[in-house]
Amino acid sequence: DAKTTQPPSMDCAEGRAANLPCNHSTISGNEYVYWYRQIHSQGPQYIIHGLKNNETNEMASLIITEDRKSSTLILPHATLRDTAVYYCIVKRSQGNLIFGKGTKLSVKP
Amino acid sequence: NAGVTQTPKFQVLKTGQSMTLQCAQDMNHNSMYWYRQDPGMGLRLIYYSASEGTTDKGEVPNGYNVSRLNKREFSLRLESAAPSQTSVYFCASSEDGARPSYEQYFGPGTRLTVT
């Protein structure tokens, strides 16, 4: 599975959009980009995933570049409850997710 | 739906003791997983079960055994606990682990301390 690179930490003002980048330059054609988050020490929470096209759901939007080498997770109106560690994961085959250290997002009032 | 449930929530063991962590899902998922998370680290896969009746090793299987009891339940056993197994253990399930388009859903975790 392809490796991902994320900044270790980011800050965002409450009510503003949070844009979390992820680099996955070695991604191959059949690999999906997944985003999870982990609030404090709770179980990871699924956010969104995509293959080629941009995706949007009730939680977030996922923008994948045309060459698929990077992506951005967008939380449109961040709240204090969005403070968490966000993991970008590239997933191809048999189930398991390979977690890196993620980006610690701090939403500040 | 309760989703993925895990018991117990907390456990303290002495070195050499054994215990079984229980996991159940009510989403009719075929695939189930056990991960561990050490402080400041991402999750690492211990074992997984692609479907009922099958189990396979993940990244860090040493010191653990698993049982896929039925489609709903997947247990993790520590036969002789060691301090290095102090960690938070997460169970997860997925509709079809063989297809990368299906997301995994995680339980709340079991916090295990081995003294």
Side-chain angles (χ1 to χ4, degrees):
Chain A
D1 294 313
K3 183 178 177 180
T4 61
T5 303
Q6 298 178 254
S9 64
M10 292 182 64
D11 290 339
C12 177
E14 189 178 19
R16 304 297 294 269
N19 296 277
L20 290 89
C22 180
N23 183 290
H24 32 78
S25 57
T26 60
I27 195 170
S28 60
N30 60 351
E31 291 181 324
Y32 283 73
V33 179
Y34 274 77
W35 284 84
Y36 282 77
R37 72 181 182 183
Q38 190 172 25
I39 297 172
H40 195 45
S41 296
Q42 298 175 20
Q45 179 187 21
Y46 165 77
I47 302 173
I48 199 167
H49 73 279
L51 181 62
K52 294 180 183 177
N53 300 322
N54 298 337
E55 302 287 345
T56 296
N57 63 21
E58 65 278 4
M59 287 183 68
S61 294
L62 173 61
I63 307 299
I64 303 174
T65 57
E66 195 168 340
D67 63 7
R68 303 210 324 122
K69 293 185 177 183
S70 65
S71 61
T72 301
L73 178 74
I74 300 172
L75 307 178
H77 304 287
T79 71
L80 298 179
R81 287 176 292 184
D82 291 322
T83 292
V85 178
Y86 287 77
Y87 296 99
C88 169
I89 299 164
V90 172
K91 179 166 172 271
R92 178 189 61 197
S93 58
Q94 190 55 278
N96 56 294
L97 301 168
I98 299 177
F99 286 79
K101 293 192 176 181
T103 295
K104 184 173 183 179
L105 176 68
S106 298
V107 180
K108 299 182 184 298
Chain B
N1 285 353
V4 179
T5 57
Q6 294 182 234
T7 55
K9 287 187 170 56
F10 300 93
Q11 184 71 48
V12 178
L13 291 178
K14 294 187 188 310
T15 298
Q17 287 185 317
S18 62
M19 79 161 295
T20 300
L21 282 65
Q22 306 287 354
C23 173
Q25 51 90 11
D26 63 1
M27 296 174 282
N28 201 36
H29 285 172
N30 289 304
S31 304
M32 297 185 73
Y33 311 84
W34 275 106
Y35 293 86
R36 62 176 285 176
Q37 184 175 32
D38 299 326
M41 305 290 289
L43 281 70
R44 293 183 293 169
L45 183 69
I46 305 171
Y47 270 93
Y48 65 97
S49 171
S51 60
E52 188 178 354
T54 69
T55 60
D56 285 287
K57 295 179 180 179
E59 182 185 354
V60 288
N62 291 346
Y64 305 95
N65 286 301
V66 291
S67 295
R68 183 74 183 267
L69 304 170
N70 48 55
K71 191 172 185 179
R72 288 188 65 248
E73 299 172 289
F74 189 37
S75 63
L76 178 72
R77 182 161 178 83
L78 286 70
E79 291 291 352
S80 179
S84 61
Q85 294 179 304
T86 293
S87 191
V88 182
Y89 291 84
F90 291 102
C91 177
S93 72
S94 172
E95 185 168 341
D96 184 349
R99 298 177 65 177
S101 58
Y102 285 104
E103 61 269 27
Q104 290 182 19
Y105 294 93
F106 286 80
T110 294
R111 283 145 186 80
L112 175 67
T113 300
V114 183
T115 61

